[in-house]
Amino acid sequence: VLPFPSQVIYNRVGKCGSRTVVLLLKILSEKHGFNFVTSDIHNKTRLTKNEQMELIKNISTAEQPYLFTRHVHFLNFSRFGGDQPVYINIIRDPVNRFLSNYFFRRFGDWRGEQNHMIRTPSMRQEERYLDINVCILENYPECSNPRLFYIIPYFCGQHPRCREPGEWALERAKLNVNENFLLVGILEELEDVLLLLERFLPHYFKDVLSIYKNPEHRKLGNLTVTVKKTVPSPEAIQILYQRMRYEYEFYYYVKEQFHLLKRKFGLKSHIGKPHPRPEFFIPSPLETEEPIDDEEENDEKWLEDIYKR
């Protein structure tokens, strides 16, 4: 019997399907009887040392088993003498994430809320209707670094250098993925992410895929799709790709690790023909050689080692 991790953190990355997953977790917490702990703070991902200590204390004293979720950069519990929880997360293609956020801030989603007006009340009309190509090509702050360096800090952590686009933050983020995250999934393959979560954390995610595929739930999920989203020109996409080269190196690294994990547990990719997407214009990195399958490896032992971290 695998050890049951009673402390799980989903430090969800913005505009990477987290609203869909949170909807699922609300249902699952009632179904399986775990403590689903959320935060009302949505716009403070970087914390002072005292704020880190306070948040870690609050999380650690929650009734177990718990799954805590918040938009927050990785917290190192062991630095403050606490037990390191199990981390999970989901990321997506960086350009698509950026575009989703750009238009969501301006126009919200299909739920019909006026949340975007509440969220950005000081945004002037000319800014709200700023053409995405103009924003990118004329180098507006919202469409240039460091604003575009967004995903990596969620895995790098709270160190000031984690906010600086560069190799240091990238390598630290990769290290944390390997050492502190049970699973980092890819939104483009969400059903496989849910399948693996159900396998690794059954006490939290049992039956998650059947709930996700339920027509009523899919209807709710569709309401969180960003409206008025348009695709920039190929020239603008190429500029974004250059500005986000560290984000893409991290994304492809995580994607490769995710695919290795799927193969380890016998999951085949069943991805239909994709719709035309911004990354169509983005050159893929060189493919790595296929690793040799080690059939001797004990999958259960691998999970047990993860839980002991």
Side-chain angles (χ1 to χ4, degrees):
V1 176
L2 287 171
F4 170 40
S6 59
Q7 303 172 79
V8 179
I9 291 185
Y10 171 32
N11 64 319
R12 61 188 194 270
V13 182
K15 305 313 297 173
C16 288
S18 62
R19 284 171 177 247
T20 297
V21 179
V22 165
L23 278 174
L24 289 168
L25 284 167
K26 285 178 180 174
I27 297 167
L28 290 166
S29 65
E30 294 178 8
K31 186 178 176 69
H32 301 316
F34 63 85
N35 185 15
F36 181 47
V37 186
T38 60
S39 173
D40 293 330
I41 302 170
H42 303 293
N43 57 358
K44 190 171 179 58
T45 55
R46 306 164 181 174
L47 310 176
T48 65
K49 185 177 178 181
N50 285 339
E51 287 170 338
Q52 290 177 58
M53 291 172 65
E54 187 65 24
L55 181 56
I56 286 172
K57 179 184 172 184
N58 290 342
I59 295 172
S60 300
T61 55
E63 183 184 347
Q64 298 183 20
Y66 68 72
L67 191 151
F68 174 81
T69 184
R70 172 177 162 178
H71 293 301
V72 65
H73 295 166
F74 174 76
L75 290 163
N76 189 342
F77 281 57
S78 56
R79 181 188 172 204
F80 299 99
D83 294 330
Q84 193 71 357
V86 168
Y87 271 87
I88 58 173
N89 217 322
I90 301 171
I91 65 173
R92 74 191 288 190
D93 177 273
V95 164
N96 282 349
R97 195 220 68 82
F98 163 74
L99 294 176
S100 182
N101 185 63
Y102 183 89
F103 291 103
F104 179 72
R105 288 183 69 243
R106 287 162 169 77
F107 307 114
D109 55 32
W110 287 108
R111 288 172 299 171
E113 303 175 340
Q114 292 301 307
N115 265 3
H116 55 293
M117 296 296 186
I118 298 166
R119 186 177 292 102
T120 53
S122 60
M123 186 180 282
R124 300 187 306 276
Q125 284 297 91
E126 58 267 29
E127 184 183 356
R128 194 173 300 281
Y129 291 94
L130 175 66
D131 184 271
I132 184 70
N133 290 300
V134 172
C135 184
I136 297 165
L137 297 174
E138 297 187 11
N139 206 23
Y140 279 65
E142 187 177 359
C143 299
S144 58
N145 277 320
R147 300 273 186 91
L148 298 179
F149 193 69
Y150 183 87
I151 297 172
I152 287 174
Y154 275 87
F155 300 88
C156 178
Q158 297 289 336
H159 192 286
R161 288 186 69 183
C162 288
R163 307 166 200 172
E164 300 169 8
E167 291 289 336
W168 189 91
L170 170 64
E171 292 306 317
R172 183 161 171 154
K174 288 180 182 178
L175 184 67
N176 275 333
V177 166
N178 293 335
E179 293 188 350
N180 292 297
F181 282 79
L182 175 66
L183 177 69
V184 182
I186 300 296
L187 182 62
E188 292 85 353
E189 301 170 41
L190 182 57
E191 287 194 12
D192 286 343
V193 177
L194 298 178
L195 275 169
L196 286 177
L197 284 171
E198 184 169 4
R199 171 69 187 269
F200 298 164
L201 298 169
H203 298 81
Y204 298 89
F205 287 95
K206 189 174 186 299
D207 300 324
V208 64
L209 203 57
S210 60
I211 296 169
Y212 173 69
K213 288 183 171 181
N214 182 295
E216 289 304 311
H217 181 270
R218 294 305 284 267
K219 227 183 279 182
L220 280 174
N222 288 339
L223 292 176
T224 65
V225 175
T226 303
V227 300
K228 296 189 181 181
K229 191 161 60 173
T230 58
V231 177
S233 68
E235 180 190 3
I237 288 285
Q238 287 295 342
I239 289 172
L240 276 182
Y241 178 67
Q242 292 302 321
R243 291 176 185 169
M244 302 173 86
R245 61 189 180 278
Y246 294 112
E247 294 274 276
Y248 269 100
E249 189 171 337
F250 181 72
Y251 172 73
Y252 285 123
Y253 175 80
V254 167
K255 191 172 186 177
E256 183 179 34
Q257 297 303 307
F258 180 63
H259 286 170
L260 286 172
L261 204 54
K262 280 171 58 173
R263 285 170 50 203
K264 177 192 279 282
F265 287 93
L267 277 183
K268 307 294 182 187
S269 292
H270 300 289
I271 306 168
K273 187 176 179 182
H275 298 292
R277 294 155 54 86
E279 66 260 38
F280 173 78
F281 305 106
I282 297 170
S284 296
L286 293 174
E287 293 294 325
T288 54
E289 291 184 15
E290 290 292 306
I292 298 170
D293 286 329
D294 183 0
E295 295 181 0
E296 303 272 323
E297 186 162 339
N298 185 327
D299 292 341
E300 306 302 322
K301 177 68 166 59
W302 175 83
L303 275 176
E304 189 172 345
D305 289 342
I306 286 280
Y307 288 151
K308 284 178 178 176
R309 288 174 186 168

